[in-house]
Amino acid sequence: MSNLVSVPKNGSLANTNSNANFPTLSNLLDDIFNRDLPSVFNSNFNTGITLPKVNIKETADAFIVEMAVPGLKKSDFQINLDNQVLSISTQTKEENEQKGENYTRREFGYSSFKRTFNLPESVNDEKINATYLEGILSILLPKKDEAKQKPARSIEIT
C-alpha cells in the first residue's frame, strides 16, 4: 500500500488516504486544540464540576435567570443582592471514610462556584424571588411598573 501525499498550491499538506477508521496525528491534535478550552480552566479538578451555564430571558414583566445546577439542595445556595449586583454562589463539602481491618481510607471533596450579574435599574429589587426544582435554579427579577412594556395602541388623528 502506498502512502501518497498531495501538496496543494497553498502549501498545506492533505492526506489522500481515504481510510477514515484511523485518525491521523494532525486530526488528533486538531481535536485537542479545538476543544472548548475555557471549560477546562473553569473546572473544579476534584469533582469535575464546571461553572454552571445560565440562561437569561426577558419578558414584558420580568427577567428570568435559569441556572442548571443538578445534585444540590436549595439550602446549598446563597443568593445576595448588593448595590444592583446579584450574586449566586454555593459551597459544598463531601467527606467519605471507609475503615477496614488494616486500613482507613478518607476522601474529601469540595466544590464551589460564584456567578455575579449587574442588574438593570428597571428591576424591582424588593420583589425578587428564587425557586429550585429538579436541578434548575430559577430567579425571577420583576420589572418596575414604569419599565414594563405597554401594550400597542392606535392614535387617532384629529
Side-chain angles (χ1 to χ4, degrees):
M1 181 188 306
S2 68
N3 236 352
L4 297 178
V5 176
S6 64
V7 180
K9 291 182 181 182
N10 66 6
S12 66
L13 293 178
N15 186 355
T16 58
N17 185 358
S18 64
N19 190 351
N21 293 332
F22 297 103
T24 63
L25 179 60
S26 66
N27 287 346
L28 291 172
L29 290 174
D30 285 346
D31 287 346
I32 290 170
F33 289 110
N34 289 331
R35 288 190 180 147
D36 186 17
L37 290 179
S39 69
V40 172
F41 296 117
N42 290 333
S43 69
N44 179 327
F45 293 106
N46 290 335
T47 62
I49 294 175
T50 59
L51 197 60
K53 304 287 186 194
V54 174
N55 292 330
I56 300 174
K57 296 187 251 181
E58 181 178 8
T59 66
D61 298 329
F63 296 95
I64 302 165
V65 177
E66 295 176 325
M67 182 180 293
V69 280
L72 298 174
K73 302 177 296 244
K74 65 181 179 179
S75 61
D76 292 335
F77 294 100
Q78 294 83 42
I79 302 173
N80 298 307
L81 181 64
D82 183 21
N83 201 21
Q84 292 300 108
V85 176
L86 179 74
S87 64
I88 306 163
S89 61
T90 184
Q91 183 174 347
T92 59
K93 178 173 74 169
E94 181 180 328
E95 297 180 20
N96 187 9
E97 183 175 339
Q98 295 177 345
K99 292 187 177 189
E101 288 182 28
N102 297 327
Y103 70 92
T104 298
R105 177 179 163 191
R106 300 176 106 189
E107 292 184 4
F108 301 92
Y110 299 93
S111 64
S112 65
F113 72 84
K114 183 174 185 177
R115 298 286 312 255
T116 59
F117 304 93
N118 291 319
L119 298 184
E121 292 291 328
S122 59
V123 170
N124 183 348
D125 59 1
E126 298 295 322
K127 295 187 178 180
I128 295 173
N129 67 29
T131 58
Y132 182 66
L133 183 64
E134 295 182 8
I136 304 293
L137 177 66
S138 297
I139 302 172
L140 179 68
L141 307 165
K143 293 180 181 177
K144 295 177 182 174
D145 287 336
E146 60 269 14
K148 292 180 182 177
Q149 288 182 349
K150 297 182 177 30
R153 63 183 181 100
S154 295
I155 299 173
E156 284 189 40
I157 300 172
T158 57

